Every structure is written in C-alpha cells, then in structure tokens.
Amino acid sequence: LVGEVPKLQTQFDMLLNALRKAGAQVGDEGGTPPRDDKAAIGILIRALGSREESTRTKAHKNLVRLTGQDLPLDRAAWERWWKEHQEAAEG
C-alpha cells in the first residue's frame, strides 16, 4: 500500500491538471468546459494497474463509459485497444 500512494498521487495530479486546463479554457460567458477524454483515457488505463481493487473497478467502469467499449478489466487489453484507436481520437 505504501508504494501505491505515490502512484495514485501522480495519477490524481495528472487528472487535476487536465481538469484545470479544461476549466481555464472556459470563456467569460461560462458554460461547460470542453472534455479531454484522451487524457482521461490514458490516466484510467494506468489506473487499471493499481493494487487497489476499488481503483481498478472504478477505472474500468469509467473507461467503458467514456469509450463505449466493453473490454475486460485487463490493462494490457485496454493498452492495445488505445494504441490502435488513439490516433483516430486525436484527429
């Protein structure tokens, strides 16, 4: 568990930075900030490698929700899928 804390802190920092970036892009008129699903997908895939079952489960649930894919809770499978689809998501 001790070794897991720095990894989770890094992942949460990356997520917070993505959220801050999205919030900074909101104009003076307000509204909903644009979503950066690409960054979230990468973070969630890394979270599938967590030692904490609840972290893995939540990451998997959100990956399925964001991508519409029903891959198993298997980090390697998601990494393969993301490698094949990341370029299309960026374009």
Side-chain angles (χ1 to χ4, degrees):
L1 183 61
V2 173
E4 195 71 11
V5 172
K7 291 178 191 175
L8 289 174
Q9 181 65 44
T10 299
Q11 292 172 353
F12 287 131
D13 287 345
M14 291 169 48
L15 184 57
L16 284 173
N17 286 335
L19 291 172
R20 285 185 188 118
K21 180 180 175 185
Q25 293 175 355
V26 176
D28 292 333
E29 298 176 19
T32 304
R35 290 176 28 168
D36 189 0
D37 290 348
K38 294 182 303 270
I41 290 169
I43 292 167
L44 291 168
I45 289 172
R46 285 190 296 278
L48 292 176
S50 172
R51 292 181 185 169
E52 293 293 320
E53 182 180 359
S54 64
T55 300
R56 293 190 310 269
T57 302
K58 289 176 188 176
H60 182 254
K61 177 182 173 183
N62 284 297
L63 280 167
V64 171
R65 182 180 57 81
L66 282 174
T67 66
Q69 301 299 308
D70 193 19
L71 297 173
L73 201 162
D74 174 20
R75 182 177 178 176
W78 280 98
E79 286 173 339
R80 284 190 301 273
W81 176 85
W82 187 228
K83 185 176 180 180
E84 293 174 10
H85 294 86
Q86 187 172 10
E87 190 172 307
E90 292 173 354

